[in-house]
Amino acid sequence: MHPAIAELPSRLFYESALVTAQSAASGQAPPSFPWPSAATPAAFLDVRSREARDGQSHSNVGEVEAVVAVVDRLRAGGVSLESVGVITFYAGQSRLLRRRLPRSVECNTVDAFQGREKDIVILSCVRANEGCRCGFLSDARRANVSLTRARHGLIVVGHAQTLQADQTWGEYLRWARGRSLVLDDWQTALKAEGNAKRREGGGKVERRDGAKKRRGDKQKKAAKENGPHSASGQQ
């Protein structure tokens, strides 16, 4: 686990005694994602959509859209999706995410992901309500697991107003804000990065198409010029 993202859980859950592997410290977060700070491979996306009941569970469609946008941005930047994990506190949200994400992205609940790690982890917090009720998020054990699954980069998607009412997540937000890790306008940040990549990719496609068109024109011209001679030669 990268030392910069291990700092907070170490202080909150391990009395600052959490030891990180040297290999994790030397790992690099993918530059294709607009990390707010070059020193800390972490980000909080403040998504202001409301939660909804999903049977006995909860879901948040706005957070699903945000997670999909992040995965698309990582994929466009050449990140192997097998190195990306998406976790959430609620089974209802996990079901929605699985319907929208590529199969190569492992997606599960925080409980099911315990003991697992991925290079990049995207956490969907789900809860967003007027009463600032956090439900499962208030469980310190689950919070610990959710914040310690990433080796090289951690992206948390949540509703800041709801989360800050909880002691643990309030600490997380103070930590994130103190290091300028909060992406309030995350849609613009991701769109700007995506547009740049699309422009680069679009230029390449246009050049390839143009080259094919030119080759096709030359072949047609050659066939037209050589066709009659070839026919007479065969006769």
Side-chain angles (χ1 to χ4, degrees):
M1 188 177 184
H2 194 286
I5 55 179
E7 175 193 355
L8 180 68
S10 179
R11 174 163 55 85
L12 290 179
F13 309 115
Y14 299 99
E15 298 180 347
S16 299
L18 183 62
V19 178
T20 59
Q22 184 62 35
S23 58
S26 61
Q28 184 179 9
S32 57
F33 184 81
W35 304 102
S37 169
T40 306
F44 176 76
L45 277 59
D46 189 10
V47 178
R48 297 178 176 88
S49 65
R50 295 294 183 179
E51 67 185 60
R53 291 291 298 181
D54 191 319
Q56 298 298 313
S57 188
H58 292 273
S59 61
N60 188 316
V61 174
E63 289 192 16
V64 171
E65 296 299 330
V67 171
V68 170
V70 171
V71 170
D72 285 347
R73 175 84 293 282
L74 292 171
R75 176 168 52 184
V79 174
S80 169
L81 295 187
E82 293 181 352
S83 70
V84 178
V86 175
I87 57 177
T88 180
F89 292 93
Y90 290 92
Q93 185 76 341
S94 180
R95 287 191 293 270
L96 287 184
L97 286 164
R98 285 175 179 170
R99 293 173 192 161
R100 296 290 308 279
L101 294 172
R103 291 183 180 180
S104 52
V105 176
E106 185 173 354
C107 176
N108 221 321
T109 62
V110 170
D111 289 351
F113 216 80
Q114 188 168 1
R116 303 289 313 287
E117 287 185 334
K118 286 286 185 177
D119 289 348
I120 305 297
V121 168
I122 307 167
L123 168 65
S124 174
C125 294
V126 179
R127 300 309 297 265
N129 53 78
E130 292 182 0
C132 296
R133 297 178 298 275
C134 290
F136 289 158
L137 280 72
S138 296
D139 184 323
R141 181 189 63 82
R142 286 188 170 106
N144 180 11
V145 171
S146 70
L147 293 173
T148 55
R149 300 304 93 199
R151 295 190 191 99
H152 305 315
L154 174 64
I155 301 165
V156 178
V157 177
H159 184 244
Q161 184 177 346
T162 297
L163 296 181
Q164 66 189 7
D166 178 77
Q167 181 177 353
T168 299
W169 291 100
E171 282 289 332
Y172 165 80
L173 285 171
R174 282 188 286 276
W175 173 81
R177 286 168 176 150
R179 286 155 183 75
S180 301
L181 304 178
V182 178
L183 285 174
D184 291 308
D185 193 6
W186 58 270
Q187 291 168 309
T188 299
L190 292 178
K191 185 177 180 180
E193 291 280 325
N195 284 343
K197 288 294 180 182
R198 278 194 292 273
R199 283 195 296 271
E200 293 172 7
K204 292 178 182 178
V205 170
E206 288 173 3
R207 285 194 293 273
R208 285 199 299 269
D209 291 347
K212 288 180 180 179
K213 186 177 185 302
R214 286 192 296 273
R215 286 196 298 271
D217 290 343
K218 289 180 180 179
Q219 289 170 353
K220 288 179 181 178
K221 184 178 180 181
K224 186 175 181 180
E225 292 175 350
N226 297 331
H229 299 295
S230 299
S232 59
Q234 289 173 356
Q235 290 176 352

